Amino acid sequence: MVKSSQHPLRLTLLGGFRLLAGDDQITVSNGSERLLAFLALGCQAVSRNLMASTLWPDAPERRAYASLRSALARLDGVGRRMLHVGTTEIRLSPDTDVDVHEARSLAQRILDPAVPSEGADLSAQAITVLSHGLLPGWYDEWVLGEAEQWHQLRLHALEALSARFVQAGRHAEAVAAASVAVHAEPLRESACAALIEAHLAEGNQAEALRQFQLYELGLNAEMGLRPTARLCELVAGLRSARRP
């Protein structure tokens, strides 16, 4: 049997932190998790000084350095394989796969009109990848900014993916992609529009109108606002055709 240290290494940050060696999940300390996540998001070598001050911002400098040394010391075996530790800098090994890097590339391809819709990019798996937030439940400042950037990118990608599914006549998947975006941001009008368009493309007028009404009620209740003229135009024919 091949030891887990010989298996491919992977960090998953979408939906939560996981460290994998092949199919085996490796448990590390909280401090080591944060260290690995920080390096994975940065995509470059980071000075020890920057890491210590960012990961332990409320600690005195000496204590922050001690916490960094402790987190490194606890990363033995698989965790240590993931790092290139220099005298002044630390970086993630290029042999380590990071799911959020792959997900960002997927989102950017979907959003690029010059990239044709084909293969794995136009699939149920793409919807799954775009369904997860970055490190949910982590409230460190260095995480929150990255998480919000990913949140916006994935919502735009889900809306574009829904439109591409509609163009391909794959209506069920179009509805699924837009529904994920609506679930993530119920008051996001572009997500609501994508879902209405997917329902209309499939011929489900009642579903399209129901989605508009839910959005209209929620927007008014939460923000005191009305849907824009663009969204109203999508269902204008349905609303005028209803019985008095």
Side-chain angles (χ1 to χ4, degrees):
M1 178 179 178
V2 180
K3 295 182 179 179
S4 61
S5 62
Q6 302 300 315
H7 293 167
L9 304 178
R10 182 172 179 80
L11 274 177
T12 70
L13 307 181
L14 299 180
F17 181 96
R18 288 198 304 160
L19 168 58
L20 302 171
D23 295 328
D24 298 328
Q25 183 169 345
I26 310 301
T27 300
V28 295
S29 69
N30 178 264
S32 298
E33 281 188 0
R34 294 167 71 246
L35 183 152
L36 290 171
F38 181 77
L39 289 172
L41 291 175
C43 305
Q44 60 186 358
V46 181
S47 70
R48 289 174 177 259
N49 179 54
L50 177 60
M51 287 196 69
S53 61
T54 302
L55 295 178
W56 293 275
D58 299 326
E61 182 177 351
R62 182 173 297 181
R63 183 175 299 174
Y65 268 102
S67 296
L68 176 60
R69 287 194 298 271
S70 176
L72 287 169
R74 292 175 182 176
L75 275 176
D76 54 2
V78 172
R80 196 69 174 185
R81 274 182 62 206
M82 290 187 156
L83 299 180
H84 285 179
V85 181
T87 305
T88 60
E89 293 185 330
I90 305 171
R91 67 182 177 90
L92 204 65
S93 167
D95 296 330
T96 301
D97 294 327
V98 181
D99 65 341
V100 70
H101 298 172
E102 300 162 2
R104 283 171 178 160
S105 296
L106 168 66
Q108 289 160 358
R109 290 194 302 272
I110 291 170
L111 289 167
D112 188 346
V115 177
S117 304
E118 59 184 20
D121 290 354
L122 197 63
S123 66
Q125 177 60 26
I127 300 174
T128 300
V129 170
L130 297 170
S131 295
H132 300 294
L134 174 65
L135 293 173
W138 289 39
Y139 301 107
D140 306 78
E141 287 189 12
W142 56 271
V143 174
L144 293 177
E146 295 282 350
E148 179 58 24
Q149 287 183 23
W150 167 244
H151 182 66
Q152 293 299 324
L153 178 61
R154 76 182 183 95
L155 292 182
H156 281 102
L158 283 163
E159 294 161 6
L161 183 60
S162 180
R164 291 199 177 205
F165 278 131
V166 167
Q167 293 169 1
R170 296 166 62 176
H171 300 124
E173 290 150 304
V175 169
S179 294
V180 172
V182 168
H183 179 74
E185 284 287 355
L187 300 184
R188 184 180 173 93
E189 185 165 308
S190 54
C192 179
L195 183 52
I196 289 173
E197 288 170 343
H199 284 313
L200 290 175
E202 198 171 16
N204 288 327
Q205 300 178 74
E207 288 292 338
L209 188 57
R210 185 180 70 86
Q211 182 58 45
F212 174 84
Q213 292 169 337
L214 287 172
Y215 176 78
E216 184 179 37
L217 289 171
L219 186 64
N220 182 60
E222 293 291 330
M223 308 293 293
L225 298 174
R226 299 278 298 166
T228 65
R230 173 183 174 273
L231 188 67
C232 293
E233 287 172 3
L234 289 178
V235 295
L238 301 181
R239 298 173 80 189
S240 62
R242 289 187 304 174
R243 294 179 181 178

